[in-house]
Amino acid sequence: MTSISPTRVSMYDFLYQDTQPMVSLLADAAQLSLPQTQLALGASLQAIVSALLAYQQRYQGQAVRKKLFGRSAVKELRHYNAMNFVTIKATLYHRHDTANALFGDSAQVIKASEHIATQIDATTPQAQTLLTCLCVIVLRELAILTDYSQIDNDEMDKWFALQPQFLSVGRLTTIAPVTVTDAVKKDMSIEEKAAPSESIAPEIKDPSLDSERLVSNQLLSAPPPFDPYWYELTTFKPDNHEPDNHEPVQDMQEATADYLKVIGRSSENIQQGRHNDLLIFAQMRAITLPHQRWLLQLAKISDIYLQQNRLRITSEPTTPPTAPLVTLRSIGDNDDNIPIATSETPIEHNAPTPLWKNPIILIIILVIGSLGALATLKYQMKKSNGAIPATEVVLEQDLAEKRQQQDTAVIKEDDADKN
C-alpha cells in the first residue's frame, strides 16, 4: 500500500506550501520585508480560506465553480505557467474585483487588511495589496486542482465540508512522537552485523512507523495555527460543515472497504493483480477522511502538483507542463509483472467507422440530392406552364431569327448556282 498524508486534501496546507516559492515576489509587490511577508502570508491564507468556506456555505459548490473558479481573471491567470513580473502584473490588475467577489464587499477586505497589518507592523494598503493578490492566486490554484481532479459539484461540497478539521489546533498538538520499535532496532542490528560480510539481512518494516514518519514530515512544514477571528469576520459557521462521522476509523480494512468497492478491488482478487500499490490515507489523529476514490485522486494530484513547484519564480516556459494523470496503475510505484485483474483490463475501443458508412455524411448527401431534384422539378413545371423567364424567351427568339437568316442565305446560294 502507498500511504499519503491527509494534509494533501487540506486547502490551507496545500496553499501554504504551494505559495512558498513566490514569497519574495509578493514582498516586492506589497513593498514588505521577507519576514513581514512570511507572517502575512499565513494570516492572508487563513482569511481567504475562511472567506471561501463561507462563500460555499451560502451558495454551495456549483456557485464556487462558476462564480469564483470560472472568473475571467482566473482564466487569464491560468495562461501563465510560471511566476514572474508579467504574472504578478496581471494579478495586480484583477486583485480588487476578485477580492470583493470572494469577501462580499470591499469593507470586509479592508477589515481583514487592517487585522493583518497590525500583526506584521505594516500599513493597511501594504497588507491589502498582499491579501488581494493572494485572492487571485488562490482561486487560480484551486481551480487548477479541481480541474485536474475532475470532481463534480457534489464532491466539491464534500471536499469543503472536510476543511474545518484541518483548521483546528488539535491536529498540531495531538500527534504522537515517532518511536523506533523493537523490530526496527533488531533489523538495524542485523544489518550492522551483516555489513562486513556483505550478506543480505531480512527486511522488517513496521507499517505504522512509516505512517507516523509521513505525518510528522508533513507537520514540520505545517502552516501557522488558525486564528478563529476569521470565522467571525467572514461569518462562517464551522459546526454546519463538519463531517457526519467524527470518530476516526481504526480498522484499515473497514476504512478502505468503500474505496475497494468503488474501484472494483476486493479481497478475492487481491493476489491476482497489482493490488499492493493501493493508495490510502495515512492515519492522523483528529482528522477523519473517507477513503473515496475521488478524494484519493485529489490527494495524489495535489502531491504531484506540489512536487512540480509550479509557482517558482522563473520565465514563462515555451511549452506548458502537462496535467498530472492519475489512474489505477499510476497510483503506486510498483512495476512488477504480475498479471492484472479483470477490473483493470483496458477497454478495447471499436475501430473508427468508414466515411461511406457514416450516417451523418449519408444524411447530408441525401438532403443535397433531394434539394437538387426539387429544383429541377420546379424548373420543368414552370417551363411547361409558360412561366419561363423573359431572358430565356429573348434568347430563343434570337436563335429563331438566326436560323431564318441562315435558311434564307442557303436558298439564295442555291438559286445563284442554278443560274
Side-chain angles (χ1 to χ4, degrees):
M1 292 185 180
T2 302
S3 298
I4 192 168
S5 172
T7 57
R8 284 294 182 256
V9 293
S10 167
M11 295 181 185
Y12 182 39
D13 292 76
F14 168 78
L15 293 169
Y16 185 80
Q17 186 175 348
D18 186 40
T19 53
Q20 287 301 311
M22 55 178 304
V23 170
S24 59
L25 192 63
L26 292 172
D28 183 78
Q31 297 182 356
L32 295 170
S33 64
L34 290 178
Q36 285 178 315
T37 306
Q38 190 66 47
L39 292 174
L41 179 65
S44 299
L45 290 178
Q46 292 177 20
I48 293 172
V49 170
S50 180
L52 189 60
L53 294 178
Y55 189 96
Q56 186 273 339
Q57 195 173 64
R58 291 192 298 267
Y59 306 110
Q60 303 304 315
Q62 184 176 5
V64 174
R65 185 187 298 275
K66 292 183 177 180
K67 299 296 182 62
L68 295 181
F69 294 167
R71 294 183 67 84
S72 58
V74 176
K75 293 180 179 179
E76 179 182 345
L77 212 64
R78 288 186 63 174
H79 292 301
Y80 300 98
N81 297 285
M83 281 295 159
N84 46 48
F85 288 112
V86 177
T87 312
I88 204 67
K89 183 179 180 181
T91 305
L92 289 169
Y93 180 78
H94 295 287
R95 62 189 181 95
H96 289 296
D97 294 338
T98 306
N100 292 340
L102 177 60
F103 282 89
D105 53 22
S106 58
Q108 275 199 342
V109 177
I110 295 175
K111 288 182 180 179
S113 302
E114 292 176 350
H115 186 74
I116 297 172
T118 56
Q119 293 180 346
I120 63 174
D121 192 19
T123 62
T124 301
Q126 289 175 318
Q128 185 177 359
T129 301
L130 180 65
L131 176 64
T132 51
C133 285
L134 280 174
C135 287
V136 187
I137 295 171
V138 164
L139 294 183
R140 171 194 184 266
E141 295 301 286
L142 294 181
I144 294 175
L145 188 60
T146 54
D147 186 16
Y148 287 170
S149 304
Q150 298 180 354
I151 60 177
D152 55 26
N153 296 329
D154 181 59
E155 294 165 348
M156 179 93 71
D157 291 328
K158 294 179 180 178
W159 182 37
F160 273 77
L162 298 172
Q163 299 309 310
Q165 299 180 93
F166 298 100
L167 303 180
S168 63
V169 296
R171 72 178 184 93
L172 300 175
T173 57
T174 59
I175 298 298
V178 178
T179 58
V180 180
T181 60
D182 296 336
V184 176
K185 290 181 180 179
K186 182 179 179 181
D187 185 33
M188 293 173 62
S189 62
I190 292 175
E191 291 181 354
E192 290 176 357
K193 293 179 180 179
S197 59
E198 297 182 356
S199 61
I200 300 176
E203 184 179 1
I204 303 175
K205 290 185 178 180
D206 187 357
S208 61
L209 179 63
D210 294 336
S211 176
E212 290 177 356
R213 282 178 176 173
L214 177 64
V215 174
S216 299
N217 291 334
Q218 292 294 331
L219 292 176
L220 291 177
S221 59
F226 186 80
D227 185 2
Y229 167 78
W230 302 116
Y231 286 162
E232 301 176 5
L233 178 65
T234 59
T235 65
F236 172 68
K237 299 178 181 179
D239 294 337
N240 298 340
H241 251 59
E242 293 181 358
D244 297 334
N245 183 17
H246 302 280
E247 295 296 330
V249 181
Q250 300 298 332
D251 187 4
M252 296 307 298
Q253 184 67 24
E254 182 182 354
T256 58
D258 294 337
Y259 176 67
L260 294 175
K261 183 178 179 181
V262 168
I263 66 175
R265 294 175 175 177
S266 61
S267 58
E268 286 77 10
N269 61 359
I270 194 169
Q271 300 297 332
Q272 300 176 7
R274 300 169 59 180
H275 300 291
N276 50 354
D277 61 348
L278 178 63
L279 182 67
I280 64 171
F281 284 114
Q283 292 184 352
M284 187 173 179
R285 297 185 63 181
I287 298 296
T288 302
L289 293 179
H291 286 72
Q292 296 182 2
R293 179 179 177 180
W294 67 269
L295 193 61
L296 290 165
Q297 181 171 337
L298 176 66
K300 186 61 177 178
I301 291 179
S302 172
D303 187 63
I304 296 173
Y305 193 91
L306 292 176
Q307 290 177 4
Q308 291 179 351
N309 199 15
R310 291 276 298 267
L311 293 187
R312 63 183 181 274
I313 303 174
T314 182
S315 58
E316 186 70 15
T318 55
T319 57
T322 58
L325 177 63
V326 176
T327 61
L328 293 181
R329 293 179 180 233
S330 63
I331 271 180
D333 299 325
N334 190 358
D335 294 329
D336 53 0
N337 295 322
I338 301 176
I340 60 177
T342 306
S343 60
E344 292 182 352
T345 53
I347 300 174
E348 296 181 359
H349 300 279
N350 298 328
T353 306
L355 294 178
W356 60 275
K357 288 186 178 181
N358 195 323
I360 298 177
I361 296 179
L362 293 178
I363 292 174
I364 293 175
I365 295 175
L366 182 63
V367 170
I368 294 176
S370 302
L371 292 176
L374 290 174
T376 304
L377 180 62
K378 186 176 181 180
Y379 175 78
Q380 294 295 336
M381 292 177 61
K382 287 184 177 181
K383 185 176 181 180
S384 61
N385 295 334
I388 302 176
T391 54
E392 296 186 4
V393 175
V394 173
L395 290 175
E396 291 182 358
Q397 292 178 357
D398 292 342
L399 291 174
E401 291 178 358
K402 288 182 180 180
R403 289 174 181 173
Q404 290 179 0
Q405 292 177 359
Q406 291 177 357
D407 294 340
T408 304
V410 171
I411 294 173
K412 288 183 179 181
E413 289 180 357
D414 292 341
D415 295 339
D417 293 338
K418 291 179 181 180
N419 295 330

